[in-house]
Amino acid sequence: MTRPPTVRPHTLHAAGIELSALLALPGTTPPRSTILAIHGRGMRAAYWNSFIPLATAAGHAVLAVDRPGYGASAGHLPEGQTLAEQAETLHAALKEHARTHDTGAGFHLLGHSDGGKVALHTAATAGGAVPLLGLDTSGTGYQYDPQALHFPSTLGGGATKLNWGPLHLYPRGTVQASRALLAPTPPRESAETIHWPRQFETLAPDVRIPVRLTFAEHEAWWHLDDTTLTAMTSRLTRSPSVTVDHLPAAGHNISLGHTADTYHQRALAFLDACLPPATTARRAPQHN
């Protein structure tokens, strides 16, 4: 059996802002890469708990961050930051992290929902400060479904269908247990939600790394018809590759559901494809 990774609380320093995070390192050094895992609206870094053991067993470090306005930075940023400002803060955090840690081949961006939006902002405005390998998002679309137009808060009533989908897609007790992961959505983040389609149109042409977009079968936030998805992918004109993946028997919170392992294995396979050849060949050994 693979030994469980050591996951420890970590602090990222980002131009005067301290961000809380979880850091997990593989059993081998250096890591093949460092995965920046970015949670969605109203969640926390622990959303990625089930992903971390698989990633570290494959030789990657995982840096799961509480986004600006969440966790330790909530007191300093009571109104939060816009998505663009969050990306700027993460750039500063990654640059500082790379100064003090071996990050392997570079950083790989893994984002969920609004975290995927932040990941897109981060990729589009990278500027070469740190090496970025790929961009992998789940539950992050282009055009909202009409039923999502009123954007109910993650913590408010009526949001269950949008944020979860059918509850049988998750292990028993998941929704109740996930309350420990929840946090208020900062006002500045909520206020710009409706502007995302235009933001994506501006950002997409500046993304220069491989992109993978995953959508759950029971995703309710987004239009997922072929026309809309083609319009989305066609805007990523400078990305060397764009992949759209559909995950059956899954709801919006993919990493908390019964099909989380399938999704995570596919995410790691995509990361393998983004790595330089020498790094791809160096996989972490399994510990018995």
Side-chain angles (χ1 to χ4, degrees):
M1 294 178 62
T2 302
R3 294 173 185 168
T6 299
V7 183
R8 63 175 186 263
H10 185 68
T11 300
L12 289 166
H13 299 278
I17 299 172
E18 289 193 351
L19 303 177
S20 49
L22 300 173
L23 178 63
L25 302 176
T28 57
T29 55
R32 299 170 67 212
S33 77
T34 298
I35 300 168
L36 180 68
I38 311 173
H39 66 82
R41 171 193 300 237
M43 285 278 186
R44 293 283 302 276
Y47 172 82
W48 299 104
N49 279 352
S50 66
F51 171 72
I52 289 173
L54 293 173
T56 55
H60 305 285
V62 180
L63 185 60
V65 62
D66 285 326
R67 291 196 281 118
Y70 294 84
S73 67
H76 183 71
L77 300 168
E79 298 296 307
Q81 292 184 328
T82 65
L83 301 179
E85 290 168 343
Q86 290 182 50
E88 184 177 352
T89 300
L90 290 182
H91 280 305
L94 293 182
K95 187 174 182 180
E96 177 62 20
H97 185 78
R99 189 182 68 82
T100 56
H101 295 77
D102 191 330
T103 60
F107 290 100
H108 185 71
L109 303 176
L110 179 66
H112 171 66
S113 195
D114 274 17
K117 297 176 185 178
V118 175
L120 274 154
H121 274 275
T122 304
T125 57
V130 295
L132 297 181
L133 302 171
L135 169 62
D136 195 341
T137 73
S138 63
T140 309
Y142 171 32
Q143 297 289 349
Y144 290 105
D145 189 279
Q147 67 180 323
L149 289 178
H150 296 292
F151 310 115
S153 167
T154 300
L155 301 180
T160 300
K161 183 178 179 181
L162 288 173
N163 291 324
W164 294 94
L167 297 185
H168 71 267
L169 300 173
Y170 304 87
R172 185 183 298 275
T174 297
V175 175
Q176 183 175 359
S178 72
R179 294 184 183 278
L181 306 178
L182 299 181
T185 304
R188 295 188 69 196
E189 180 178 319
S190 292
E192 66 171 355
T193 301
I194 198 169
H195 303 298
W196 171 247
R198 183 167 294 181
Q199 289 179 352
F200 176 78
E201 292 166 2
T202 301
L203 294 166
D206 290 327
V207 175
R208 294 175 170 84
I209 53 178
V211 175
R212 176 173 174 263
L213 309 167
T214 297
F215 298 103
E217 178 183 359
H218 298 277
E219 174 62 62
W221 277 99
W222 306 100
H223 274 303
L224 298 179
D225 58 280
D226 290 342
T227 299
T228 302
L229 291 181
T230 297
M232 184 178 189
T233 58
S234 67
R235 294 181 182 277
L236 293 158
T237 52
R238 295 181 184 174
S239 173
S241 67
V242 181
T243 303
V244 177
D245 198 3
H246 296 274
L247 189 64
H252 179 72
N253 282 319
I254 287 177
S255 288
L256 303 179
H258 288 299
T259 56
D261 186 69
T262 298
Y263 165 64
H264 295 153
Q265 293 288 3
R266 292 179 184 179
L268 291 171
F270 172 67
L271 172 51
D272 269 353
C274 296
L275 290 171
T279 311
T280 303
R282 192 180 70 243
R283 301 186 65 89
Q286 298 296 304
H287 301 285
N288 296 318

